[in-house]
Amino acid sequence: MKMKEIPLVLRPREKAMKEGLHTLSDRELLALFIRQGTRQLSALQVADKILQMVGTISGLNRIDVDDLIRVPGISYIKATEILALVEVSKRMVKPEINKTIQIDRPHALVSWLNLEVGYKRQEYFIAVYLDKQNRLLSHSFLFKGTLDRSVVHPREIFKEAVKKSASSIILVHNHPSGGLTPSKSDIQTTEILVDAGHMMGVFIMDHLIVSEGDFVSIREKNPNLFIMK
């Protein structure tokens, strides 16, 4: 069914204007940005094909432009516009520079980090740098690939800390498999970096694992790792 054949009250734009954006389903929200379909598919049907590919609307975090343009009716420009929504969502929850991070309540930080890497297909390692008042100074994407002691070198992590005059660091990486249980390598890497931080006077506050909107704190699971030896 073409969009013009759908009753006005059921069309996403008209429904949003009458009842509010919050009443729209995921497919209807996507259809708003798709705007026009093809000769064979309505904008709603194109939205259905995108959702079939990503699972849920949060799955847009997992794909790129090349993935989207495989969907009939999605051009490079349209794919860029749709993924711009994902970027907007990241920036809306990203903590501002100099904002205090509640170490014992990292949910705001985790919301942003999950949007950044929690849905990625490959493993990413991030360092978040804080000052003495636990205010956000900056963050760095240090590498992507399998987390291992051989690739997470203290030099790369603490070089940025010295440059920014950071007092502490929160380490973050994602688990593309979806599981949140820290691996043996996760624990060993954390231990090495905590020890290096103690020697340099830049302390590792926590190591968070994020995946699919959820997270686990290695500090909560293994508090002894963070005690100076």
Side-chain angles (χ1 to χ4, degrees), residues 2-220:
K2 297 293 184 181
M3 192 68 76
K4 64 183 180 182
E5 298 172 342
I6 299 174
L8 279 175
V9 293
L10 298 179
R11 297 180 192 176
R13 185 177 294 107
E14 286 74 13
K15 181 179 177 181
M17 292 171 64
K18 183 177 181 181
E19 302 178 26
L21 284 167
H22 68 281
T23 66
L24 300 187
S25 64
D26 289 352
R27 71 191 292 260
E28 289 170 331
L29 279 171
L30 268 179
L32 275 182
F33 290 92
I34 295 168
R35 293 193 293 275
Q36 293 181 330
T38 67
R39 289 184 178 181
Q40 291 78 31
L41 302 171
S42 69
L44 282 167
Q45 290 171 317
V46 175
D48 286 337
K49 289 190 174 295
I50 293 175
L51 290 172
Q52 287 169 10
M53 178 173 64
V54 300
T56 63
I57 201 164
S58 63
L60 289 172
N61 284 283
R62 301 188 193 94
I63 61 173
D64 57 22
V65 168
D66 290 336
D67 294 320
L68 270 179
I69 60 176
R70 296 191 185 101
V71 177
I74 300 297
S75 64
Y76 186 89
I77 292 174
K78 187 64 63 182
T80 302
E81 290 174 346
I82 292 172
L83 292 182
L85 297 174
V86 177
E87 185 59 31
V88 168
S89 67
K90 291 178 185 177
R91 298 189 187 190
M92 287 179 68
V93 299
K94 180 180 179 180
E96 297 177 4
I97 298 297
N98 293 324
K99 180 176 181 178
T100 300
I101 302 298
Q102 299 293 329
I103 303 301
D104 58 337
R105 289 180 292 164
H107 293 82
L109 187 64
V110 166
S111 296
W112 159 54
L113 292 166
N114 255 304
L115 287 174
E116 285 286 356
V117 299
Y119 296 87
K120 296 292 187 183
R121 297 168 178 168
Q122 198 167 5
E123 201 161 299
Y124 285 75
F125 188 85
I126 303 173
V128 179
Y129 299 96
L130 309 174
D131 67 9
K132 291 181 180 179
Q133 285 75 45
N134 291 337
R135 292 178 300 196
L136 179 65
L137 295 173
S138 67
H139 74 283
S140 293
F141 285 81
L142 297 172
F143 82 96
K144 61 180 180 179
T146 302
L147 183 62
D148 186 84
R149 290 174 294 172
S150 63
V151 292
V152 183
H153 199 285
R155 179 179 60 249
E156 299 302 319
I157 295 172
F158 294 104
K159 179 172 68 176
E160 183 72 11
V162 171
K163 187 188 300 182
K164 295 290 184 181
S165 299
S167 294
S168 57
I169 302 170
I170 297 176
L171 306 173
V172 186
H173 79 280
N174 62 312
H175 276 185
S177 63
L180 287 169
T181 303
S183 68
K184 182 179 179 180
S185 180
D186 294 340
I187 300 300
Q188 291 173 335
T189 299
T190 302
E191 187 172 21
I192 289 169
L193 294 176
V194 167
D195 290 344
H198 283 148
M199 286 190 291
M200 296 194 64
V202 181
F203 302 103
I204 304 297
M205 299 297 292
D206 205 342
H207 186 170
L208 305 174
I209 301 171
V210 297
S211 182
E212 302 282 341
D214 206 352
F215 82 102
V216 71
S217 161
I218 290 181
R219 186 187 189 99
E220 288 184 4

